[in-house]
Amino acid sequence: MKLRRRAHTMVAIALGLSLAAVASSTSSGAAGTATSSTLATVPRLERPAGMVIAPNGVLFIADEQLNQVIARLADGKLLVVAGTGTAGDGGDGGLATDAQLSAPDGLARASDGALYVTDEDSNRVREILLNDKIATFAGDGSKKTGAALAVGTPAARVALSPSAVAVGSGGTVYVASENEIVMVSPVGLISGVVNLATTPGVKLRYGNCDPQALATASGNLFIGCANSEQLIERLASGRYVMIQRLYRPHDYPGIALEAGGAVLIANHESLLGLIDGKSIDLIKLDTFGKKTLVVPSGVAVSANGTIFIDSQYGDGFTSGSALAKVTPAGAPVLLNYWKMS
């Protein structure tokens, strides 16, 4: 769904070639270590959260309950690309499918196709490399305390509480950790730290942002604050502005950038398109009815403008997880719905 371009031009998040292991049923991984035909399948998603999409249509989804990163192919098959399903933090240096993850939720993609995963309960950001192996990119496994993070320090040797991750056009990796945004260079060194509670231009409700969603476009960084219910934009100039004061995410709070310049937000029980400070409902809770509740969590958008959402939900009517999309023409389409007992 194309929305009117904002006054200052932005482009969509770069969506290049994804991990080679799931490019097709016959193609091999970058190092020949895996093919999509040898990857394990799962029957359903449980608690889908962060999501990114490749230009070949493959969706990558972090599932907090499965403790895995799942790829959904165009034919609907769900393949495991990282995580054994057992919670933990082991496996660095080996195949991502043999490693342990613990409540992975945030996902971001580098321009070369590598994936960054916020392994929240392990207090780490893991990187799934193009040779299908996994490594710790940031966080030493200990929870963030009040100690300041020094610029130039290896990010893998500091205490973090990562909750979201994004990659800038220059390769800088942004990690949300409590009230801070930690900037990490492509080689893994801390290049900057911003405390949102003390940053000029940011007036947090309750003094606590709790950043749970990040997205980047054209040098701008978008920060979703779950606790203060605000959406903050860091402009390429370095100035911070408040662009929404009624940000109420449900479960995992996804943000994505649409090619026409709209900020797509999983907000409360709707998917919103925010442009020029005005919100447009793109999809609502009742779109699919009470028997198949789809409450947007993670958000991703393809190069042709198709918006994908995942959903994790439970209430007095039903509970389940879902995948859906909104076509460029604005039509909502349910892709998968898994009702829980």
Side-chain angles (χ1 to χ4, degrees):
M1 172 179 288
K2 294 288 183 181
L3 300 178
R4 183 170 55 86
R5 187 175 301 275
R6 297 178 63 178
H8 57 287
T9 302
M10 296 191 300
V11 297
I13 299 174
L15 298 170
L17 185 63
S18 277
L19 298 176
V22 293
S24 73
S25 61
T26 57
S27 65
S28 63
T33 54
T35 66
S36 63
S37 61
T38 63
L39 293 174
T41 62
V42 293
R44 58 176 295 144
L45 299 178
E46 297 284 349
R47 286 186 62 84
M51 180 168 55
V52 293
I53 187 171
N56 61 3
V58 174
L59 283 168
F60 292 94
I61 306 154
D63 194 297
E64 297 173 292
Q65 184 69 31
L66 293 178
N67 297 307
Q68 292 172 316
V69 176
I70 306 297
R72 183 189 187 277
L73 305 187
D75 61 5
K77 184 182 294 184
L78 301 173
L79 303 179
V80 178
V81 296
T84 63
T86 300
D89 59 7
D92 277 354
L95 290 177
T97 49
D98 294 334
Q100 294 174 308
L101 300 174
S102 189
D105 52 7
L107 265 186
R109 184 185 171 279
S111 59
D112 65 0
L115 294 177
Y116 294 96
V117 187
T118 54
D119 204 12
E120 190 162 10
D121 283 0
S122 293
N123 298 308
R124 302 175 191 269
V125 176
R126 312 285 285 278
E127 182 180 11
I128 305 172
L129 305 165
L130 290 187
N131 61 4
D132 303 312
K133 295 188 176 182
I134 194 169
T136 292
F137 180 77
D140 64 4
S142 55
K143 193 172 181 62
K144 178 73 169 67
T145 63
L149 302 179
V151 171
T153 303
R157 298 181 185 175
V158 301
L160 289 175
S161 298
S163 54
V165 63
V167 183
S169 57
T172 296
V173 179
Y174 298 91
V175 180
S177 177
E178 295 187 337
N179 250 359
E180 294 180 333
I181 303 299
V182 182
M183 289 157 274
V184 185
S185 72
V187 295
L189 299 179
I190 294 176
S191 57
V193 181
V194 174
N195 188 323
L196 296 170
T198 59
T199 298
V202 178
K203 295 181 179 180
L204 297 176
R205 292 194 188 101
Y206 325 120
N208 180 25
C209 165
D210 185 21
Q212 293 287 327
L214 298 175
T216 58
S218 299
N220 293 16
L221 175 69
F222 295 83
I223 306 163
C225 297
N227 186 75
S228 62
E229 300 180 344
Q230 295 164 308
L231 190 64
I232 298 168
E233 182 178 5
R234 179 187 184 273
L235 305 177
S237 65
R239 187 167 66 92
Y240 287 78
V241 295
M242 199 76 63
I243 60 174
Q244 191 181 39
R245 298 181 182 276
L246 294 174
Y247 174 69
R248 294 171 180 158
H250 187 288
D251 292 317
Y252 179 82
I255 303 175
L257 280 300
E258 191 261 353
V263 186
L264 306 174
I265 311 162
N267 190 62
H268 198 43
E269 295 180 340
S270 299
L271 175 68
L272 301 181
L274 180 66
I275 190 163
D276 293 335
K278 297 181 179 180
S279 297
I280 302 172
D281 280 323
L282 302 181
I283 187 171
K284 293 184 177 181
L285 170 67
D286 58 2
T287 299
F288 298 103
K290 290 294 184 182
K291 292 184 179 180
T292 53
L293 296 179
V294 178
V295 179
S297 293
V299 183
V301 59
S302 69
N304 73 354
T306 300
I307 302 164
F308 292 85
I309 59 174
D310 61 32
S311 173
Q312 44 179 276
Y313 194 78
D315 72 354
F317 295 96
T318 185
S319 62
S321 57
L323 288 172
K325 69 179 181 180
V326 181
T327 68
V333 179
L334 185 66
L335 299 173
N336 299 98
Y337 180 76
W338 300 277
K339 185 177 179 180
M340 297 183 185
S341 57

